[in-house]
Amino acid sequence: MPKWMSLPPAKLLFNPGQQAFLEARRQRKCRLCKVEFSTPPETSCPQCKGRGVRLFDRLTIIAGRRYGKSLIGSIAGVEEACIPNTIGWACAPTDPKLHRYVIPAFQKLIPEDWVLSWSAEYNDLRLKNGSLIHFQTLEDPDQGRGQGLDWLWIDEVCELTEDHWNVIRPSLGDKQGVAFFTTSPRSYDWVYDNLYKPAEDEELGYWGLHAQTADNPIFHTPEGREFLSREREKMPDTMFRQEYEADFVTFTGAVYGNL
């Protein structure tokens, strides 16, 4: 049985957008007591010990490259898995991206002494608190069928289709699970229409963040600002806007700009 390999932790700098995402995902409200609380540190209502309902169960970060999307998505997944006896899926559009970005992001956060077992064959990580983290690739929509989930993270969700989301979303139903998405934009696609715009319109349960690469504190240094300035000069305008400024662009010359 292969062992879980812990990697050196990533350096974490304070990022207001990332912090707002974590706080929104943690918020719950007790139906009975009407008390609002955060999970963690609480795992149930501090008054009646009921589980409560999430204030936000569909959270989307649309951001530029190197903003730290995979880092904050994995932190959210680990926080959810710290609640005992939960089941969560961490997903990527392809198998290479699952093993290059998603699984290593968790290996930087979860030490070996948390781990009960790790199956490299089935991509199942079982923790000593009874929780399961399953790493799932989503090349085909039917790969989203499976067990009931307490939480779901899909990285680079804009590379998938609406069918992928429609197949996997029923898995959240019986446990009233939370889904969070991290991605760079791909114009005004189904992710914008179905996940981000509802948050912009303040629909119940939806939360969204639109961020640029420059919002990552590592680009606040002179070297970071110089890098982005040079990239702006050398890249086609539409590509720079999509990849670094997270603009919703088309590649026929029309740029729709910031939200």
Side-chain angles (χ1 to χ4, degrees):
M1 178 74 69
K3 293 182 64 177
W4 176 256
M5 181 177 64
S6 295
L7 297 177
K11 185 177 181 180
L12 185 62
L13 302 175
F14 178 74
N15 183 317
Q18 293 180 346
Q19 186 64 32
F21 159 71
L22 292 175
E23 292 175 356
R25 198 205 77 259
R26 294 166 181 158
Q27 293 176 9
R28 293 178 186 257
K29 185 174 182 178
C30 179
R31 281 199 178 105
L32 181 62
C33 304
K34 309 302 181 186
V35 172
E36 292 189 10
F37 59 97
S38 293
T39 304
E42 302 287 347
T43 57
S44 58
C45 172
Q47 291 189 13
C48 71
K49 304 306 178 184
R51 186 178 183 185
V53 294
R54 296 181 185 268
L55 297 187
F56 302 101
D57 60 0
R58 301 288 184 267
L59 302 96
T60 304
I61 296 177
I62 296 179
R65 300 279 295 279
R66 313 315 305 163
Y67 172 74
K69 301 184 297 296
S70 296
L71 173 60
I72 203 62
S74 60
I75 290 174
V78 170
E79 279 195 359
E80 293 289 339
C82 284
I83 303 173
N85 304 310
T86 54
I87 299 174
W89 278 21
C91 304
T94 65
D95 194 63
K97 290 185 177 182
L98 187 75
H99 287 86
R100 290 174 187 167
Y101 307 120
V102 173
I103 294 178
F106 281 82
Q107 289 173 325
K108 294 176 182 178
L109 297 170
I110 297 179
E112 292 181 30
D113 58 6
W114 286 21
V115 175
L116 180 65
S117 66
W118 162 241
S119 170
E121 179 181 3
Y122 296 107
N123 291 330
D124 283 344
L125 179 65
R126 297 187 181 275
L127 305 182
K128 291 179 180 178
N129 70 350
S131 292
L132 168 68
I133 302 174
H134 172 68
F135 300 98
Q136 180 63 48
T137 184
L138 294 174
E139 283 99 340
D140 184 273
D142 279 345
Q143 290 176 301
R145 300 184 186 276
Q147 62 209 125
L149 301 177
D150 294 283
W151 62 270
L152 167 70
W153 170 39
I154 303 180
D155 195 25
E156 295 301 345
V157 68
C158 280
E159 296 182 17
L160 302 175
T161 67
E162 188 175 357
D163 285 345
H164 287 85
W165 170 230
N166 287 335
V167 168
I168 202 170
R169 64 191 298 174
S171 300
L172 298 160
D174 56 333
K175 297 188 176 185
Q176 298 180 337
V178 62
F180 41 99
F181 311 91
T182 53
T183 190
S184 297
R186 294 292 184 271
S187 188
Y188 287 98
D189 61 356
W190 71 271
V191 174
Y192 173 81
D193 290 336
N194 293 359
L195 299 175
Y196 186 82
K197 192 172 187 303
E200 191 181 38
D201 294 340
E202 299 184 350
E203 288 189 26
L204 184 67
Y206 286 84
W207 185 93
L209 172 69
H210 183 236
Q212 299 184 5
T213 301
D215 294 324
N216 185 333
I218 68 173
F219 293 101
H220 295 177
T221 63
E223 295 81 6
R225 288 192 289 268
E226 181 182 354
F227 171 82
L228 291 178
S229 177
R230 187 173 66 249
E231 290 293 280
R232 182 185 292 275
E233 291 177 1
K234 298 299 183 181
M235 288 180 70
D237 182 65
T238 51
M239 183 63 73
F240 182 87
R241 287 189 168 201
Q242 174 176 276
E243 298 300 310
Y244 289 110
E245 295 184 339
D247 274 0
F248 298 88
V249 305
T250 65
F251 287 88
T252 59
V255 180
Y256 295 105
N258 289 317
L259 290 175

